[in-house]
């Protein structure tokens, strides 16, 4: 098992137990070792989002989408980051992409404004 994978797993354990700030340490270490792993970037984006580090979270979800452009959750999460930064029109585009990639997902539907 690689050190990056162990760091990723430790980061997720800390996220699940509510130790979000502490989760960033192993996740950032894993990202340095494996910058092209979407799973690591997504977990780090989630941690940053929970810490209200909107710009950092945005950067991580954009990185996920560079690696995997059809990742519906990354589009949704990026939309949430953009919303938090007051960039509603841009957020709506990502919510709609998420919905088109996974039709019927209620949390995606809940954020779409049809007038946007």
């Amino acid at each position: 098992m690689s050190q990056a994978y162990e760091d990723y797993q430790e980061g997720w354990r800390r996220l699940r137990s509510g130790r979000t700030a502490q989760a960033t340490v192993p996740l950032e270490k894993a990202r340095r070792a494996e910058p092209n792993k979407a799973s690591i970037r997504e977990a780090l984006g989630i941690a940053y989002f929970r810490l209200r580090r909107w710009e950092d979270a945005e950067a991580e979800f954009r990185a996920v989408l560079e690696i995997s452009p059809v990742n519906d959750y990354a589009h949704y999460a990026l939309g949430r980051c953009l919303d938090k930064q007051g960039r509603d029109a841009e957020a709506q585009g990502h919510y709609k992409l998420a919905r088109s990639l996974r039709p019927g997902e209620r949390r995606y539907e809940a954020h779409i404004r049809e007038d946007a």
Side-chain angles (χ1 to χ4, degrees), residues 98-111:
R99 176 181 64 182
S100 70
L101 292 166
R102 189 175 299 258
E105 176 62 45
R106 289 183 186 187
R107 67 180 156 179
Y108 301 168
E109 298 282 341
H111 289 280

Side-chain angles (χ1 to χ4, degrees), residues 26-72:
L27 291 171
E28 288 170 349
K29 187 176 172 186
R31 178 189 59 191
R32 284 191 298 275
E34 297 283 349
N36 294 319
K37 290 284 188 183
S39 57
I40 293 169
R41 305 300 293 258
E42 185 175 296
L44 188 53
I46 291 168
Y48 288 153
F49 187 88
R50 290 181 184 174
L51 293 170
R52 300 173 188 240
R53 291 173 56 179
W54 315 129
E55 291 175 1
D56 292 330
E58 175 188 347
E60 292 306 315
F61 291 117
R62 286 192 187 280
V64 172
L65 290 171
E66 284 290 319
I67 298 163
S68 177
V70 296
N71 182 320
D72 60 288

